[in-house]
Amino acid sequence: EVVGAIADKLGSRTVLAVAKVYAGEVESGIALGWQTTQEARDAGLAWLATRALVGLTDLQLMLGRYDAAATTADQGIALADQSGFGRTLGAILRGNKGEALLRSGRWAEVLAVTALGAEAPGTFAATLLLLRAELHVASGQLDAARVVLRETRGHLRNTAAAQFALPLALVEAGLLR
């Protein structure tokens, strides 16, 4: 197959895996996500393999499979760093791992995985900062949460994406209690 055709096929299958899970075909969708990840790796398409791992971690988080999400994120972070996507897709995967750790009560690990480093500014850095703000609110460190929330807003600027709106509102509500 031509490389472009393989990439198109694998990209489509990544979307199909997500759609299957949302349609209730959970195990079939997860299996397709893993199969797509492996085929992308085998084809030397690290970008698509990493993207498929982002999708898998999103699904695992949605399903409450936090340990699996953290483990999958670790695989994706390593691949992203190795392939030159650490500042972007790697930051998203660190955010997904941080969310998995936060939801499973592993708060000290959240701080470590979401510490700012070399990630790209904007939504990539905001993904990590927002988790830190949420953790600070949950642990009663409201002054720290305000500082991190301000930094998060600086990265998001005018972003109105739904994936940030609800977590921002959650942090803001927590600051009002």
Side-chain angles (χ1 to χ4, degrees):
E1 289 182 70
V2 177
V3 172
I6 294 170
D8 288 346
K9 177 180 87 171
L10 294 174
S12 296
R13 286 182 45 209
T14 298
V15 174
L16 179 60
V18 172
K20 286 179 134 229
V21 171
Y22 273 87
E25 298 176 41
V26 174
E27 298 312 320
S28 172
I30 296 288
L32 181 59
W34 282 114
Q35 180 184 355
T36 302
T37 299
Q38 189 57 53
E39 288 181 23
R41 284 182 186 207
D42 292 346
L45 299 170
W47 163 254
L48 284 171
T50 308
R51 202 175 105 204
L53 289 166
V54 169
L56 280 166
T57 58
D58 285 340
L59 294 171
Q60 291 164 332
L61 285 167
M62 179 184 77
L63 296 167
R65 297 177 181 180
Y66 302 127
D67 290 339
T71 300
T72 301
D74 282 337
Q75 290 180 38
I77 292 164
L79 181 59
D81 288 345
Q82 177 183 49
S83 305
F85 306 123
R87 298 185 69 228
T88 53
L89 288 175
I92 293 169
L93 285 156
R94 285 175 47 218
N96 285 358
K97 180 177 181 178
E99 184 175 346
L101 296 170
L102 180 67
R103 305 291 172 243
S104 57
R106 295 160 60 185
W107 290 5
E109 293 173 76
V110 174
L111 289 175
V113 82
T114 61
L116 292 185
E119 61 285 322
T123 57
F124 300 105
T127 296
L128 302 174
L129 289 166
L130 197 48
L131 284 167
R132 292 177 77 81
E134 188 177 340
L135 175 61
H136 289 318
V137 166
S139 63
Q141 299 175 26
L142 302 184
D143 289 338
R146 285 184 187 91
V147 169
V148 175
L149 182 60
R150 189 172 23 253
E151 189 176 357
T152 303
R153 288 187 185 288
H155 282 281
L156 290 176
R157 287 171 259 167
N158 297 324
T159 300
Q163 76 183 68
F164 295 107
L166 184 58
L168 281 169
L170 177 68
V171 170
E172 290 168 347
L175 290 170
L176 295 175
R177 33 176 199 149

